């Protein structure tokens, strides 16, 4: 294999490039990125970067020394437009083509948008440019902020907006935010963080439309989008808004693969080794549906590349990768950590601390709680709020059990794991 093209220059793409060199690939390495920026860390965008506690320099995932060691050709600010029928030539949006003996797809996902005409003051938060634009508005004075979506991005953004002194309302269409990930009992506990932090949470409320100030901006700014003025809910309520942040999930970036031999269904379909229908093409990170599961987690983006690269260089699947799902979220001064995979029917119990609101406000060793999810007496997942040390111990045990079970399927793994926490 003389040339490998990595399509995607974010976290998963960088880790793939690192693994190629670490595993002995000494040929030409090309990394293509749709954004003009060198690889940067996305989690701080909704937290420290938004509040001004972190600058752009602190977001960098690599440096000049590593760049020299990787000896890669970086093509940034160029979006992939197609993968030709041979499966190894990338067509860029400027017409250039890149031929490779192997391809790593790491194009990630893009933020979902609400339908309707564009309005000034309406933001998504997925990229550095998104965060720059939102931060500029939030530092211009007090704003009425409406965050649409109570998931992790929405909750973290709301938390940052409260910290900056803004009036914040979070709108969630489901009865509880994060219920799909945490289950109703723990979702209800975590939902209380919004009230404790100083944001209003409206649940069971769909968004009908965004309202703007018709004509005013067009007259004053020569056709620029009108400014947003309110969020109209499905029940007719109007929420006044100067800034709206849309955090309703992300879509895997697979549009450029239309017409290629690769199967796509909410991500690029791969086997358990990240290998696609073409053995010379692998996929990693947010865009990859590995063994039937697409996981938009930092750990997936950093752990999948090792297995994917090994299989790419071998020309077939010689290793599988089903890392234990893990995510964390910083909200209103608390850290949520979750590992494993909860499914319907799991029971949950608190094994340390308390879910009482007062207990969460305490400081020191008594703050927060640790909860375990179980099925037939076996641990399937762990959740902690402000209990980092007990959580890490439980996560290590769960990871060992997950690996021993082979994690053939979340439900099957849950049945075969030994109890992994306390």
């Amino acid at each position: 294999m003389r040339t490998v093209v990595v399509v995607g220059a974010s976290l998963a793409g960088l880790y793939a490039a690192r693994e190629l060199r670490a595993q002995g690939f000494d040929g030409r390495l090309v990394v293509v990125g749709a954004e003009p920026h060198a690889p940067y860390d996305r989690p701080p965008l909704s937290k420290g970067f938004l509040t001004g506690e972190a600058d752009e320099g602190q977001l960098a995932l690599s440096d000049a020394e590593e760049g020299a060691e990787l000896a890669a050709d970086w093509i940034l600010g160029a979006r992939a437009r197609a993968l030709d029928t041979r499966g190894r030539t990338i067509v860029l949006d400027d017409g250039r083509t890149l031929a490779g003996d192997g391809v790593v797809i790491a194009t990630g996902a893009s933020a979902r948008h609400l339908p309707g005409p564009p309005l000034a003051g309406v933001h998504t938060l997925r990229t550095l440019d998104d965060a720059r634009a939102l931060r500029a508005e939030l530092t211009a004075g007090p704003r009425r902020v409406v965050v649409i979506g109570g998931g992790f991005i929405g909750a973290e953004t709301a938390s940052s907006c409260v910290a900056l002194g803004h009036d914040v309302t979070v709108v969630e269409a489901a009865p509880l935010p994060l219920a799909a990930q945490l289950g109703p009992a723990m979702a209800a506990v975590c939902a209380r963080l919004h009230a404790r932090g100083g944001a209003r949470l409206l649940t069971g409320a769909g968004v009908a439309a965004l309202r703007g100030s018709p004509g005013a901006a067009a007259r004053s700014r020569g056709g620029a989008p009108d400014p947003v003025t309110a969020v109209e809910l499905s029940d007719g309520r109007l929420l006044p808004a100067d800034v709206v942040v849309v955090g309703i999930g992300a879509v895997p970036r697979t549009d450029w693969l239309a017409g290629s031999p690769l199967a796509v269904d909410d991500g690029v379909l791969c086997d358990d080794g990240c290998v696609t229908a073409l053995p010379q093409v692998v996929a990693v990170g947010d865009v990859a549906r590995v063994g039937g599961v697409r996981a938009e987690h930092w750990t997936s983006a950093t752990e999948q590349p090792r297995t994917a690269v090994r299989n790419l260089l071998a020309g077939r699947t010689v290793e599988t990768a089903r890392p234990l799902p893990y995510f964390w979220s910083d909200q209103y001064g608390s850290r949520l950590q979750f590992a494993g995979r909860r499914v319907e029917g799991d029971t949950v119990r608190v094994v340390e601390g308390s879910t009482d609101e007062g207990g969460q406000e305490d400081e020191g060793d008594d703050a927060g709680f640790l909860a375990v999810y179980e099925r037939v007496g076996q641990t399937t997942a762990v959740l902690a709020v402000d209990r980092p040390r007990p959580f890490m111990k439980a996560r290590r045990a769960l990871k060992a059990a997950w690996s021993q079970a082979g994690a053939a399927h979340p439900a099957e793994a849950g049945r075969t794991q030994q109890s992994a926490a306390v």
Side-chain angles (χ1 to χ4, degrees):
M1 191 168 286
R2 294 175 297 177
T3 301
V4 174
V5 180
V6 178
V7 189
S10 192
L11 183 67
L14 174 62
Y15 269 73
R18 288 171 174 171
E19 284 295 337
L20 281 160
R21 293 309 191 203
Q23 295 187 34
F25 175 70
D26 58 3
R28 185 187 180 210
L29 174 58
V30 183
V31 184
V32 179
E35 295 184 59
H37 314 295
Y40 60 88
D41 203 16
R42 295 184 191 275
L45 295 181
S46 58
K47 299 184 277 287
F49 182 78
L50 206 57
T51 60
E53 297 171 4
D55 59 30
E56 292 187 18
Q58 294 171 281
L59 302 179
L61 288 171
S62 187
D63 56 25
E65 182 179 356
E66 183 182 40
E69 292 174 354
L70 290 177
D73 296 332
W74 294 85
I75 302 176
L76 301 177
R79 190 180 297 272
R81 190 178 71 196
L83 180 67
D84 82 350
T85 54
R86 290 173 297 169
R88 289 184 294 179
T89 300
I90 310 300
V91 182
L92 303 183
D93 55 5
D94 60 7
R96 283 180 291 175
T97 59
L98 298 170
D101 305 298
V103 175
V104 180
I105 298 174
T107 43
S110 56
R112 294 182 185 274
H113 294 262
L114 289 174
L119 293 172
V122 177
H123 301 264
T124 56
L125 186 52
R126 182 81 187 182
T127 69
L128 176 57
D129 290 339
D130 291 341
R132 284 172 171 172
L134 180 56
R135 186 165 80 165
E137 285 216 48
L138 295 176
T139 56
R143 294 289 188 269
R144 296 168 299 179
V145 180
V146 176
V147 178
I148 301 173
F152 296 111
I153 292 297
E156 291 172 0
T157 303
S159 173
S160 295
C161 290
V162 168
L164 290 169
H166 300 295
D167 180 83
V168 180
T169 301
V170 179
V171 178
E172 170 58 47
L176 285 169
L178 303 176
Q181 294 90 345
L182 306 181
M186 292 297 106
V189 172
C190 294
R192 296 204 296 262
L193 292 173
H194 290 283
R196 193 191 81 183
R200 289 179 295 277
L201 173 63
L202 301 180
T203 59
V207 172
L210 301 181
R211 297 281 190 91
S213 177
R219 289 191 297 270
S220 64
R221 293 188 287 170
D226 296 318
V228 67
T229 58
V231 175
E232 180 182 353
L233 302 183
S234 54
D235 61 9
R237 283 180 291 173
L238 285 179
L239 304 178
D242 305 303
V243 175
V244 173
V245 182
V246 180
I248 55 174
V251 181
R253 298 186 60 183
T254 59
D255 55 307
W256 65 284
L257 295 171
S260 78
L262 303 186
V264 173
D265 182 10
D266 185 37
V268 179
L269 299 187
C270 309
D271 65 13
D272 285 349
C274 304
V275 179
T276 71
L278 300 173
Q280 70 272 27
V281 180
V282 296
V284 293
D286 292 355
V287 74
R289 193 169 183 84
V290 180
V293 177
R294 189 173 71 86
E296 294 181 17
H297 302 319
W298 195 89
T299 47
S300 298
T302 57
E303 293 183 18
Q304 288 173 351
R306 183 183 65 82
T307 298
V309 165
R310 182 179 178 193
N311 293 333
L312 178 67
L313 296 179
R316 60 188 179 89
T317 302
V318 295
E319 181 178 306
T320 60
R322 295 296 296 273
L324 177 72
Y326 165 64
F327 58 80
W328 75 94
S329 179
D330 295 324
Q331 304 174 20
Y332 307 104
S334 288
R335 169 156 287 198
L336 284 66
Q337 295 173 284
F338 185 92
R341 185 171 288 118
R342 169 201 164 268
V343 298
E344 292 298 326
D346 286 2
T347 59
V348 59
R349 62 188 178 94
V350 175
V351 296
E352 287 192 25
S354 171
T355 60
D356 293 339
E357 190 169 359
Q360 289 186 30
E361 293 175 346
D362 293 339
E363 297 181 355
D365 294 338
D366 294 330
F369 66 90
L370 177 72
V372 297
Y373 295 79
E374 297 170 316
R375 191 179 318 117
V376 198
Q378 309 303 318
T379 301
T380 57
V382 291
L383 166 69
V385 175
D386 295 329
R387 289 262 170 156
R389 290 184 180 178
F391 174 82
M392 293 308 295
K393 178 181 177 182
R395 180 190 173 196
R396 285 194 297 269
L398 182 59
K399 186 175 182 178
W402 180 277
S403 299
Q404 184 178 1
H409 184 276
E412 293 301 320
R415 293 190 184 97
T416 56
Q417 289 165 0
Q418 298 300 313
S419 183
V422 294

